[in-house]
Amino acid sequence: MQLGQPSRTALATAYARAYHQIASEPRIFTDPLAIQIADVTPDQLADLDSATMQEGDADGAMRRRRRMFLAARARFAEETITDAVAHGTRQVVILGAGLDTFAYRNPHPDVRVFEVDHPDTQAWKRQRLDATGIEIPPSLTFAPVDFESQTLAAGLADADFDRSRPAVFIWLGVVMYLTQETVLDTLRFIAGQATPVQVVFDYLYPASASTPEYVAQRTARADRVAAVGEPWLSFFTADEIANLLRDTGFDRVDDRAAPDLIAGYLGIPAQQSSTVPSHVLCATRSE
């Protein structure tokens, strides 16, 4: 992201999540605040979706697949939270929160939610909340962290996050924008939380493990995000990420390829994909 400005990719994700609520496609994830926090009308959402159509995607198929994956990963994350709360966890940390709305729909008043993000993005979000009339619940704590000058540990400590109690960490749409060293440091920090601790995050396969069709699509999208100052930096295969998680102390990994995750929520067989898709996973350290 560019200094002094909110994340452009966070805004794009918010538009996609909002458009999923009204698009003529199967509803995977329902978010009654998605359109409100995006602060645009349904007609404007449709225009935004058309205006940002990927080159060579005249019928919107690629954008529709991406939108469905964003909805599916959000549902997967919130189902993980629900399960963890049922087993006693009372802390949720959303890393790179952007315009995520879970904290404002949180059905568990005794569950504390910590939103971690760059100070500029967080200030922009708080302006959005105020302008759109979305109330900040007492269960939410903002934890602004500028990783150029502050660590995640320090930012959460300042927010009174309790390292001695179990927690769920939600880390969506972030890993690919970080260096592998930062990804490893963050996983080590999460693994150091009192058990049980879980982390949900998504990641991208490297080009070397991809078909030519996928490389072409991904290159075009990578160029777009790099142009707004948010380049992709890290890629993993499923085996690589599983080994990394085991090395940092996690003992269980539930990894889902995007088509499999989407098909599971739609109740249909997974379709064979000619491309290597995005993945989302839940890793657990139970002891």
Side-chain angles (χ1 to χ4, degrees):
M1 62 177 288
Q2 298 178 0
L3 187 63
Q5 298 182 17
S7 168
R8 295 282 297 278
T9 54
L11 184 57
T13 297
Y15 286 152
R17 191 163 51 232
Y19 191 61
H20 177 65
Q21 308 303 307
I22 60 171
S24 57
E25 60 197 23
R27 178 77 60 81
I28 289 178
F29 179 65
T30 299
D31 180 350
L33 296 180
I35 295 176
Q36 187 175 345
I37 199 169
D39 199 23
V40 291
T41 67
D43 287 342
Q44 288 171 324
L45 278 173
D47 290 341
L48 284 166
D49 192 67
S50 299
T52 55
M53 191 71 70
Q54 297 182 25
E55 185 176 351
D57 187 26
D59 64 352
M62 286 184 287
R63 181 156 295 274
R64 193 158 46 247
R65 285 196 297 269
R66 176 176 178 270
R67 196 164 56 235
M68 298 284 276
F69 174 63
L70 295 179
R73 77 179 187 186
R75 179 170 168 179
F76 182 75
E78 294 195 12
E79 287 178 345
T80 300
I81 293 172
T82 298
D83 183 69
V85 170
H87 288 85
T89 295
R90 291 296 181 269
Q91 296 186 116
V92 175
V93 180
I94 303 179
L95 301 174
L99 291 180
D100 186 88
T101 66
F102 171 76
Y104 315 91
R105 298 179 284 104
N106 176 15
H108 314 287
D110 61 337
V111 172
R112 292 192 67 190
V113 180
F114 299 83
E115 286 195 354
V116 178
D117 218 327
H118 189 280
D120 291 338
T121 297
Q122 204 158 86
W124 165 66
K125 180 175 188 174
R126 296 186 74 158
Q127 291 171 355
R128 283 284 180 112
L129 294 169
D130 183 62
T132 57
I134 299 175
E135 294 186 4
I136 298 173
S139 57
L140 170 63
T141 300
F142 292 103
V145 178
D146 184 346
F147 288 99
E148 294 296 325
S149 59
Q150 189 181 22
T151 65
L152 174 60
L156 282 173
D158 288 345
D160 293 326
F161 175 68
D162 192 343
R163 289 285 277 165
S164 67
R165 297 173 59 209
V168 177
F169 290 77
I170 306 300
W171 197 21
L172 300 179
V174 179
V175 165
M176 61 287 297
Y177 297 101
L178 305 176
T179 64
Q180 294 201 12
E181 180 181 3
T182 300
V183 173
L184 179 58
D185 287 345
T186 304
L187 290 174
R188 284 173 175 157
F189 172 81
I190 294 171
Q193 185 70 21
T195 57
V197 59
Q198 294 171 292
V199 58
V200 176
F201 65 90
D202 57 326
Y203 64 95
L204 295 175
Y205 259 62
S208 59
S210 308
T211 66
E213 179 188 359
Y214 179 68
V215 171
Q217 293 174 7
R218 195 181 72 175
T219 298
R221 189 168 155 225
D223 288 345
R224 284 192 293 275
V225 297
V228 298
E230 301 176 42
W232 289 338
L233 302 176
S234 290
F235 309 92
F236 303 91
T237 65
D239 287 342
E240 288 170 344
I241 204 70
N243 290 334
L244 182 63
L245 288 163
R246 281 193 293 268
D247 289 345
T248 49
F250 293 92
D251 48 66
R252 282 187 289 145
V253 179
D254 178 9
D255 190 323
R256 315 279 187 95
D260 296 334
L261 184 67
I262 293 168
Y265 285 135
L266 296 180
I268 61 175
Q271 296 181 349
Q272 291 294 320
S273 174
S274 60
T275 64
V276 176
S278 301
H279 281 232
V280 63
L281 64 79
C282 174
T284 302
R285 181 172 175 263
S286 56
E287 56 183 40

